[in-house]
Amino acid sequence: MFSNFSGSTKRPRNVNLGGRKTHAFGSAGSGAGSQAALDRAQQDRIQRQREREELKAAGTIQKVWRGHSSRQKLAGLLRQEWDTVETSHTAETVAPYGSEDEALAQLQRLVRFVNTRNQEDVRRIRHYVSRQVETVRKLGLTASGPWPSAYLRLETMILTVIDRQIKGSASPEQIGSSLAILRFLVDQIPAETSQNATRFYPTLAQVVSRLALEEGEGWDTDTSEALYGTVVSPLKKVTGYTLNAYEAFGYSFLPLPALSADSSSPWATKFRDSLADAINYKLLANALATSLKQLGLQARPALADTATRLRFLGSFVYFHRYAHNFHSPEAYTVHKDFVTVISPLLNSLPTNIVEGSASDSDKAEDIEAEGVNAFLKDQILSLVNQEGIGNLLAGSQNSEASEEERIEESRQLANYALALLRFFPRRGDEIRMWLYMGPSDARASKSAQKAPAIRYFWEASKRSSVFKTITRDSRTAVNLLRPKTTQASASITGHAQTASLTQHAFWQAPQQEIDRDAAIADEWRVILVFLELYTFVLKVTDDEDFFSGGQDVYTGQVRDNSLPLGEVKDLTTFLKNLGFTLYFNASEINAQEERESSSTSLNLFTKSPEPQPQPPKQIEPQVGGVAGLTLDHVKGLVTGLLRMVYERDSRRKFLPADHWLMTSRFDMTSFIPQVVVEEESRHKLQEEDADDIDEDEEEFDDTPRLVGTTRTQYQRRQERISRQQRKLSRMRYLQKVAPRLEILQNMPFFIPFTTRVQIFREFVNLDMIKRRGSADPEAWRWRLRQIPDGPGQFDKHTARIRREHEFDDAFSQFYSLGQGLKEPISITFVDQFDQPEAGIDGGGVTKEFLTSVTSRAFLPTDDIEMFVENDQHLLYPNPAAVEELKERLRQAGIQEGTSEFRLQVSEFLQRFEFLGRIIGKCLYEGILVDVNFAPFFLRKWALTGGTGSAPNESGYRPTLNDLRDLDEGLYQGLHQLKNYTGDVEDFALNFTVTDNIIVDHTTKKTKTITRDLKPDGANTPVTNQNRLVYISYMARYRLQNQPYPQTAAFLRGLSTMIQPSWLSMFNQSELQTLVGGTSSSINIDDLRRNTIYGGTYVIGDDGLEHPTIQLFWKIMQDLSDGEQRAVLKFVTSTPRAPLLGFGTLNPRFSIRDAGSDQERLPSTSTCVNLLKLPMYKDYGVMKEKLLYSVFSGAGFDLS
C-alpha cells in the first residue's frame, strides 16, 4: 500500500550531484549544478551508444566486403573458365556447342558470374546466345530438366540489361540486340516467362514507350518485329501461367500513352492494331476481371492516377471492339468479364473528364480532361451504345444458375449500369431508356426470352436484405447508409458472399466484416439502378398505364416493365422509410465524415514554416459503401421518385388513407413549435452564409503571378478553405438542428395537410414580426410615422387604383417596392369619374384590391395574353407570349439584340414577376383569391423549394401526364405514338417541333416556327427505338423550355414574397387550396358557429338568436352552392372558406342591424368582414334583397 515505506523513521538523505554544498537533509535543488550533472550523464550514455553502433556498423561493413571480395574472386575464376572454353573455338562463324552438356555447363557458369553493369559480361551473354541458337537448331534441344531455371536466370539478367539501356543512352541497335536475346529465351521457356510476367512486361513497356517517343526513328524493322514478337510470345502459348501473363500484360501495356495515341502516330497505331490482332481478348478480360475481383484498383500502383486509368480504360475498350470487329451486333456488356473490368474504372474517374463540366461547380476538374485525345474519347463514348446497353440483360436468365449466382450476376450488372449513369450524366435518359426497352426485336434471339430491366432489378431489389431490413424499420437504414471505412467501399462485386446478411454472429473476423460490407454495397447498387430506371419509367408512363397495374389497357396482357399496384405499395413503404432516415438522421449518417473533416480542419490553425499550401486531399464520397455516390444524390433520387408516386396517388387514390403519414416518428403535440424554432435557426444560417459570399471565389487562381506573393496566395487560399468549411459546417449543423424542416421541405406528405398549413401561417407571422415588429398593420403604420422619413415610406405603400385598370395601376405604382410589398398597403379605389369610392381600409379594401388585380390580370384581352387556359379552364403562363412580343417588336422595326429590344422584353417579363408578387402577397396575408392554376404549373412552385438537398434531382421534371394538363390533343397523339405496335417511321416524324404564334391580335393572323428538339433534329427520324426520347424531348420543350422566361419571372416574383422552401411543403393540389381555399361546399353550420353579432342582433341572456338572424341562416341553408359562395364573397371578398375553418377567419364573419327599412339593401364592410343586414321580416323579401346586392357588382357605395 505504501511502496516507499522502509520502516525507518529517519528522514532520507538527499544526494546532491551538482557539487554545491547544501544541508545533508535539505530539499534537492534544481539549480544549474544538478542539471549540468544530469546533462553530462545523458551525453555519456549517448556517446557510449554511438560507439557501440559504430563498432557494429564496422563489423557489418567488413562482412559485406569479405563476401563481396569472395564472390568477385569466384566470379573471376568462373569468367576465366568460361573464356577458356569459348576461346578454344576460333572459327570466324558462330558455331554451335558440341553437346548439350557443354552448352548447359557454359550457361550455368555464365549466370553465376555475369555482372549486368559490366559491358564485357553483356557481350559474353550475346556471344553465348548466338551459339546457343545454333545449338538448339542443330541438336533440337528442348528446355527441360535444369534448362528452364538456368534460362530464367539469364532472362532476368537480360531484363536488367534492357532496363539500364532504356534509362541510359543506349542506341536502338543495342536495345534491339538485347530484345533478340530475350525473344530467344521467351520462346524456350514460355511457362516460366509467364510466371515471371510481373518482371517481364514492365520492362517491355518501357521499350515501347521509348520507341513511341522517338516515333520509330533509328529503329529498324527487325527491332520492331523483335519487340512485337517478344511481347506476344508468352500470350500465344497456352500454359498453366498464361493468365498471369495476360494480367501483367494488361496492367503494364494498356495504360501506355503509345497504345492510346491518336491517328497522328502511325507507328503507335500499327503496333496497337498488331497487338489487338494477336492477343486472345477473352483471356485478357478474364485475367483482369479476376485480379480486380480479388484486389481491386487500390492494389494496383500502375493505375494510381486518373490519366493512367483513363488510358487503361480506353485501350481495354479498343481491344474489346477490335475483337468484335467494331460494328458487331453482339452486345458489349453481355461479357461478364467486360462488365467487371469497366465498372470500377468508370467509378474511379471524374464524371466530366470526357463530356466536360455539366456546371460551373465542376471547373476545378476540367484540367483532368486535358489528356483526353480523340482516340480515348471515341473508345469511352462507345460504351453508351444502344445495342450494348439494351442487351445488358439478354443472357441473364439462366434457369440452371443457382440463387447465389443470380444474386451475384444482378450485382455485377447493377454496378455496370450505375457506373454508366454516373459517368455519363448528360446521356442518363438515353441509358435509362435503352435499359428500359431491352434488346431490339431484330437482334433478340427467338429462343431467348427478354429480361425486362425493371422486373429484373425489382426482383433482385426485393430479395436483398437491405430492402427487407429498411422496409421493416426505418431506424436500421442509418447503419446501412453510413460510409464504410473498410475495403468494402473498393469492392468490385466479386466476393463470395452468402445471400442473406441478416444472420450474423456476435463477433466477426475482419475479413467477414469486409465481405459483409461489400455485399451491402452491392445490394445498394442493385436498388439504386432500379430507382433510376423506375424514375424514368414513371416519366413516360401515363396514368392509364400506371393504374392498369401492369396490364395493357387494350390487350389485357401483363407488361413486364410495369409494377402491379400492390408492389408499388411495397416500394413506397421502403422509400418512405429510406427517405425519412436520409433527412431526419442525416447528421448520424455523416458522423464519420464529420470526424474526418474536423480532424483535417485543425490544419487551418497550424503554423507552417514554409507557406506552400498543398491542395487538401479529396475524400471520395460514398453512401453505404458505394464509392462515387453522394448522399445528396440519393436524397434527390428517393425524393423525386416518392413525389412522382405521391402525385399519382393524389390524382387517383390507390393507397390507404394514412399510408403516407409518418406522424408516429414525431411528438406531434410539440411539432409546430419545434419547426418554428428550426426555421429561425435556418434563417440565422442564411444570414451567416450571406456574410461569406465571395463573388471572385470561382475565379480564384492558385498560381503565383508575382514574386513575393506566395504568402498572400497562401492566406487567400486558407481563407477560401475556411469559408468553404464554415459553409459545410453550417449545412451539417442545419441537418442536426432542423431535421423536421428538412422533412417538411422535401417529403411534406409525411405530415398532415392541416398541420402544414398552420406551420406555414406561423412562418409568415414570424417573418412579419421580424420585418414590422408586429403582425398588426396599424402598429406598423404607427411606427412608420415616428421615424423622420416615415411619411415618404408610407407614400410608397399608398396607391390610387382605377376600376378596370387595376393591374396596370398596381404595376406602375408598386413594382418598385420589391420585397417591400410584404408591408401593409393603403389603397384608394376611384370610379370612372375619378372619384374615390367609400371604404375604410381595415384590410378589406386591400383584399378587394388583390382580388381585383388578379382577376384583371387573368382576364382575356385583345393583346398578348400573359396567361391562357387549358381545356379545363385552368391557367398557366402563355408559352408564346415572349415570342409574340419579339415578333411585334421586329415588325415595329426594332432590331433584335439592341438595348431597346432587350428593354421591352425585360419590362414585359417584369409584369409576370409582379403578378407573382401579387399572388405571393395573397398567400402572405392569408387572402384567398378565385384563381385556378394548371397542376403542372403549380408543380413548379412546389419543386422550386427543393434546393435544400439535391435541386437537380428533386426539381421539376416534365412528364407525359403534365402534358395532358397542357394540351389534351398533343397528349393523345404522343400516347398513341408510345403504344403504337407498328413501325412509327410510317408517321414521318422527326425531332422538330412547330410553334404557332399570333402576329396580329386583331385579325388573329399566325406564323409558324419550326425548331429542332435536338442537334440536327430535322434529319433525325423518330423510330421505334428512339420514340421514348422523342416523347421526353417534346414534353420537356412544351412544359419547360418554351415557357421558361415567363415561368421563371413569375416564380422569381413569388419567391420575393414567399420563401420557396415554404412552398415546397405542399403539392400542386394543396397549393391550389392554399391560393383559392377549399373547393368543397361551404359549411354553413361552421360559419354560423363562428359568426359575431352586433347591435340589435347581439344574443341575449336567453341564448336565442334574433328572428331576422334565424331567417338569414334559413335562407343561407336553402341557397345553392354558387349563391352561398357569392354571399361569402360579398362579405369577405373571396368565395371560398378558409383552409382551417371559419374559426381562423380574421376578422371574424360579423352581422349587425342596419335599421328596419324593408326597402333598404344589405351592405358590407369588407374591411372587417361585416354584413349590415336590415331587420327583414319576410323570407322572400330578405332573399330577394340579399341576392340583388350580392350580384349587383357595385363597390362600397351601397351603404
Side-chain angles (χ1 to χ4, degrees), residues 114-122 125 157 160-161 164:
V114 162
N115 182 353
T116 56
R117 292 185 175 89
N118 188 329
Q119 292 302 314
E120 287 300 316
D121 284 352
V122 174
I125 293 176
M157 292 175 180
T160 304
V161 171
R164 289 201 172 93

Side-chain angles (χ1 to χ4, degrees), residues 34 175 262 459 489 768 799 1028 1162:
S34 60
I175 298 175
D262 53 24
E459 293 298 330
S489 60
M768 285 183 176
L1028 292 181

Side-chain angles (χ1 to χ4, degrees), residues 655-686:
L655 294 171
D658 296 335
H659 176 77
W660 295 102
L661 298 180
M662 295 196 72
T663 52
S664 60
R665 294 296 304 273
F666 301 105
D667 177 12
M668 296 306 295
T669 57
S670 60
F671 184 78
I672 295 179
Q674 288 174 334
V675 170
V676 173
V677 172
E678 291 179 7
E679 173 65 12
E680 291 188 71
S681 300
R682 184 196 62 80
H683 183 73
K684 292 179 181 178
L685 290 179
Q686 281 186 335

Side-chain angles (χ1 to χ4, degrees), residues 425-686:
R426 296 182 179 178
R427 304 190 67 180
D429 280 347
E430 290 180 278
I431 295 171
R432 296 181 187 98
M433 181 193 69
W434 292 332
L435 275 172
Y436 163 77
M437 294 180 65
S440 61
D441 295 333
R443 301 293 186 190
S445 172
K446 294 181 180 179
S447 60
Q449 182 182 359
K450 286 187 177 181
I454 286 291
R455 299 297 309 179
Y456 180 83
F457 287 115
W458 168 240
E459 293 298 330
S461 299
K462 284 196 302 181
R463 290 196 300 265
S464 68
S465 65
V466 169
F467 186 93
K468 295 175 183 177
T469 304
I470 295 179
T471 300
R472 286 194 299 267
D473 185 3
S474 64
R475 297 171 180 84
T476 60
V478 175
N479 289 329
L480 293 173
L481 286 166
R482 278 178 177 156
K484 309 301 178 187
T485 57
T486 65
Q487 300 174 12
S489 60
S491 172
I492 310 298
T493 74
H495 301 281
Q497 304 95 350
T498 57
S500 175
L501 301 177
T502 56
Q503 299 176 357
H504 299 149
F506 289 102
W507 177 88
Q508 288 184 325
Q511 187 58 44
Q512 291 176 317
E513 186 175 352
I514 290 173
D515 290 345
R516 179 180 62 85
D517 289 342
I520 291 176
D522 290 338
E523 290 188 354
W524 272 121
R525 292 185 180 97
V526 174
I527 292 171
L528 291 170
V529 168
F530 168 74
L531 297 183
E532 292 274 6
L533 278 176
Y534 197 56
T535 299
F536 173 79
V537 169
L538 289 186
K539 287 172 62 176
V540 296
T541 302
D542 53 23
D543 282 352
E544 283 75 8
D545 292 341
F546 179 82
F547 287 106
S548 64
Q551 289 189 342
D552 191 293
V553 293
Y554 302 107
T555 65
Q557 297 179 350
V558 176
R559 289 182 176 173
D560 293 331
N561 273 318
S562 299
L563 296 184
L565 296 183
E567 295 186 353
V568 174
K569 179 183 177 182
D570 297 337
L571 173 62
T572 55
T573 302
F574 166 76
L575 291 176
K576 274 172 45 187
N577 290 343
L578 176 59
F580 182 90
T581 304
L582 284 169
Y583 288 105
F584 196 74
N585 303 101
S587 59
E588 296 179 49
I589 298 172
N590 287 327
Q592 177 67 25
E593 183 180 349
E594 289 180 12
R595 286 194 293 269
E596 293 175 357
S597 299
S598 62
S599 62
T600 57
S601 63
L602 295 176
N603 295 331
L604 295 176
F605 307 101
T606 304
K607 294 184 179 179
S608 176
E610 295 182 2
Q612 297 292 336
Q614 298 294 328
K617 182 179 179 181
Q618 297 295 327
I619 301 174
E620 185 178 25
Q622 58 159 290
V623 176
V626 182
L629 195 67
T630 64
L631 195 65
D632 281 349
H633 177 80
V634 180
K635 284 180 178 180
L637 185 61
V638 174
T639 302
L641 184 53
L642 262 181
R643 281 180 178 266
M644 294 173 78
V645 179
Y646 175 72
E647 288 163 8
R648 293 179 188 268
D649 186 54
S650 299
R651 289 193 293 266
R652 190 195 303 181
K653 296 293 295 183
F654 70 95
L655 294 171
D658 296 335
H659 176 77
W660 295 102
L661 298 180
M662 295 196 72
T663 52
S664 60
R665 294 296 304 273
F666 301 105
D667 177 12
M668 296 306 295
T669 57
S670 60
F671 184 78
I672 295 179
Q674 288 174 334
V675 170
V676 173
V677 172
E678 291 179 7
E679 173 65 12
E680 291 188 71
S681 300
R682 184 196 62 80
H683 183 73
K684 292 179 181 178
L685 290 179
Q686 281 186 335

Side-chain angles (χ1 to χ4, degrees), residues 52 93 311 408 498 666 681 844 931 1010 1016 1053 1063 1085 1130 1134:
R52 285 193 294 268
T93 59
R311 293 193 297 268
E408 177 63 21
T498 57
F666 301 105
S681 300
V931 178
T1010 301
D1016 198 31
L1063 295 176
D1085 292 335
F1130 177 62
T1134 180

Side-chain angles (χ1 to χ4, degrees), residues 804-1027:
E804 299 185 0
H805 298 84
E806 292 91 345
F807 182 78
D808 292 332
D809 289 352
F811 175 74
S812 62
Q813 297 178 66
F814 283 149
Y815 178 80
S816 60
L817 279 181
Q819 202 175 39
L821 192 61
K822 286 184 176 182
E823 319 306 352
I825 54 177
S826 182
I827 303 298
T828 301
F829 279 103
V830 295
D831 56 21
Q832 63 270 32
F833 306 109
D834 199 33
Q835 295 298 314
E837 292 183 359
I840 301 172
D841 194 354
V845 177
T846 299
K847 288 190 294 183
E848 175 69 13
F849 160 73
L850 293 173
T851 54
S852 299
V853 169
T854 52
S855 299
R856 183 63 56 187
F858 297 123
L859 280 177
T861 65
D862 294 331
D863 203 350
I864 300 176
E865 303 284 1
M866 292 179 60
F867 275 69
V868 292
E869 292 182 343
N870 63 7
D871 296 338
Q872 291 79 38
H873 304 291
L874 303 177
L875 294 164
Y876 60 92
N878 180 9
V882 173
E883 202 58 46
E884 289 177 2
L885 175 65
K886 291 180 178 179
E887 185 64 27
R888 175 184 293 180
L889 295 176
R890 295 188 197 101
Q891 293 177 357
I894 303 176
Q895 294 184 356
E896 191 167 357
T898 62
S899 57
E900 177 64 21
F901 189 95
R902 291 194 298 268
L903 179 62
Q904 293 281 355
V905 174
S906 176
E907 289 180 351
F908 183 66
L909 291 177
Q910 286 176 358
R911 298 174 71 85
F912 282 94
E913 182 181 358
F914 181 71
L915 185 54
R917 292 182 195 169
I918 291 296
I919 297 298
K921 175 73 170 176
C922 295
L923 291 170
Y924 194 79
E925 301 291 348
I927 295 174
L928 305 178
V929 290
D930 191 15
V931 178
N932 297 295
F933 293 107
F936 75 87
F937 179 54
L938 288 167
R939 281 189 66 217
K940 298 179 181 181
W941 300 20
L943 296 175
T944 303
T947 57
S949 293
N952 294 330
E953 297 296 332
S954 59
Y956 175 72
R957 291 177 173 181
T959 65
L960 193 57
N961 279 295
D962 286 347
L963 208 55
R964 188 172 201 171
D965 294 328
L966 176 73
D967 188 335
E968 179 70 24
L970 178 60
Y971 163 79
Q972 293 295 343
L974 293 177
H975 182 267
Q976 293 177 7
L977 176 69
K978 172 174 171 269
N979 297 320
Y980 186 63
T981 56
D983 188 354
V984 299
E985 291 191 60
D986 296 339
F987 298 125
L989 296 172
N990 54 27
F991 277 76
T992 59
V993 61
T994 301
D995 294 332
N996 292 318
I997 62 171
I998 301 176
V999 296
D1000 188 341
H1001 286 81
T1002 303
T1003 61
K1004 301 300 180 183
K1005 179 182 177 181
T1006 61
K1007 176 183 177 181
T1008 300
I1009 300 176
T1010 301
R1011 293 183 172 87
D1012 285 348
L1013 289 172
K1014 59 181 292 187
D1016 198 31
N1019 298 319
T1020 307
V1022 178
T1023 65
N1024 286 0
Q1025 286 71 37
N1026 64 16
R1027 57 178 161 183

Side-chain angles (χ1 to χ4, degrees), residues 35-82:
Q35 185 62 40
L38 292 174
D39 290 343
R40 285 194 300 271
Q42 185 177 10
Q43 291 298 325
D44 290 342
R45 286 195 298 271
I46 294 175
Q47 180 64 26
R48 289 193 297 272
Q49 178 65 23
R50 185 182 299 114
E51 291 173 354
R52 285 193 294 268
E53 291 175 353
E54 289 175 355
L55 185 61
K56 183 179 179 181
T60 302
I61 293 174
Q62 290 174 2
K63 288 180 183 179
V64 172
W65 175 249
R66 285 194 297 269
H68 174 72
S69 299
S70 299
R71 287 192 297 272
Q72 289 297 97
K73 290 178 182 179
L74 178 60
L77 294 174
L78 292 172
R79 190 176 288 112
Q80 289 178 5
E81 293 176 7
W82 192 90

